[in-house]
Amino acid sequence: MNVLLFGGFLGAGKTSLILSAAKFLVENNLTAQATNPAKPSLIIIENEVGETGIDDKILKANGLMVRELFSGCICCTLTSELTVTLNELYETYDPQWVIVEATGMAYPHRIAETIHTYGKGVENLKIMIVADAERWEELMEIVPGLVEGQIAKADLIFLNKIDCMHHEALAEIEKSLHHLNPAAQIHCVSAFRGINPEIWREAVWRNE
């Protein structure tokens, strides 16, 4: 299984990016889906119910052939339960992709450490943090430790809501992101306007 672990503060746009990633993955796994329609190629574990919940209706409305097996809340402090869930998914379905949405207050790298230690069948795991460009300064004043902790351990960072910002301000935020995590890939995006498929191709399939 390939696990994409999404994190970021509440309201950063995780749900919109997850839907975009799910659509990209499903559209690029049509052969596997057609070979065994009963076996889902992608499963979403929703950790946080945002303004737009990830459920079957939304997935179908977006043309996605995805089976959502778990919804609701898996508390970020109960990472052992998440690991058990992933192991059950592997043994029952062995999906190619699993997307996990962490809560806004979680440190995804801690969840990843537990998955790496106790998870079964996880071939690849990437931590994808969604940073809120519009509220960057506000969040860095209110919860700097949380934001910095999430970003510092990310494999990829999506700087979202760039359509709400001036170029100069975005450049300063990018500098801050590079300073906090020099090794991470950074993609400046607008979930509202849509994500270029090439961004997902680079983010999902690039092996370090």
Side-chain angles (χ1 to χ4, degrees):
M1 298 187 299
N2 299 288
V3 178
L4 303 180
L5 177 56
F6 279 80
F9 198 75
L10 180 65
K14 294 190 298 294
T15 297
S16 297
L17 284 167
I18 286 172
L19 288 172
S20 177
K23 183 175 181 180
F24 172 82
L25 291 172
V26 170
E27 289 179 346
N28 284 274
N29 282 283
L30 295 179
T31 300
Q33 195 74 27
T35 301
N36 187 359
K39 176 181 176 181
S41 61
L42 181 146
I43 295 173
I44 295 174
I45 300 176
E46 185 180 7
N47 239 5
E48 180 171 79
V49 180
E51 294 180 359
T52 306
I54 301 176
D55 56 29
D56 288 334
K57 292 181 180 179
I58 292 176
L59 293 172
K60 291 177 181 178
N62 283 272
L64 305 179
M65 297 176 64
V66 179
R67 182 183 300 173
E68 183 187 344
L69 299 181
F70 300 90
S71 63
C73 180
I74 301 174
C75 181
C76 63
T77 61
L78 300 178
T79 53
S80 60
E81 289 191 13
L82 175 57
T83 305
V84 169
T85 298
L86 283 172
N87 290 344
E88 290 177 352
L89 292 177
Y90 170 65
E91 293 171 355
T92 305
Y93 298 97
D94 189 18
Q96 184 175 1
W97 298 94
V98 177
I99 294 179
V100 178
E101 179 181 12
T103 67
M105 299 301 292
Y107 292 90
H109 69 275
R110 296 178 182 173
I111 299 174
E113 289 170 359
T114 302
I115 293 174
H116 281 306
T117 302
Y118 301 105
K120 298 178 181 178
V122 178
E123 299 176 3
N124 187 34
L125 186 153
K126 288 189 175 183
I127 299 174
M128 300 185 169
I129 297 298
V130 183
D132 191 331
E134 187 178 25
R135 296 189 298 158
W136 176 258
E137 291 187 4
E138 175 187 350
L139 294 177
M140 287 299 287
E141 289 182 3
I142 299 173
V143 285
L146 174 63
V147 174
E148 292 173 2
Q150 291 176 340
I151 289 171
K153 300 292 184 178
D155 297 307
L156 300 99
I157 301 168
F158 292 95
L159 181 57
N160 191 28
K161 305 182 186 179
I162 61 173
D163 52 308
C164 301
M165 305 294 293
H166 294 295
H167 177 75
E168 293 78 7
L170 284 174
E172 289 301 316
I173 297 174
E174 281 191 78
K175 288 181 182 178
S176 297
L177 294 175
H178 279 295
H179 176 73
L180 292 170
N181 189 338
Q185 298 179 53
I186 299 176
H187 297 281
C188 296
V189 300
S190 169
F192 177 75
R193 293 181 178 177
I195 310 299
N196 189 320
E198 289 304 315
I199 290 179
W200 288 123
R201 198 179 309 279
E202 170 74 8
V204 171
W205 284 335
R206 176 179 173 183
N207 293 319
E208 298 296 341

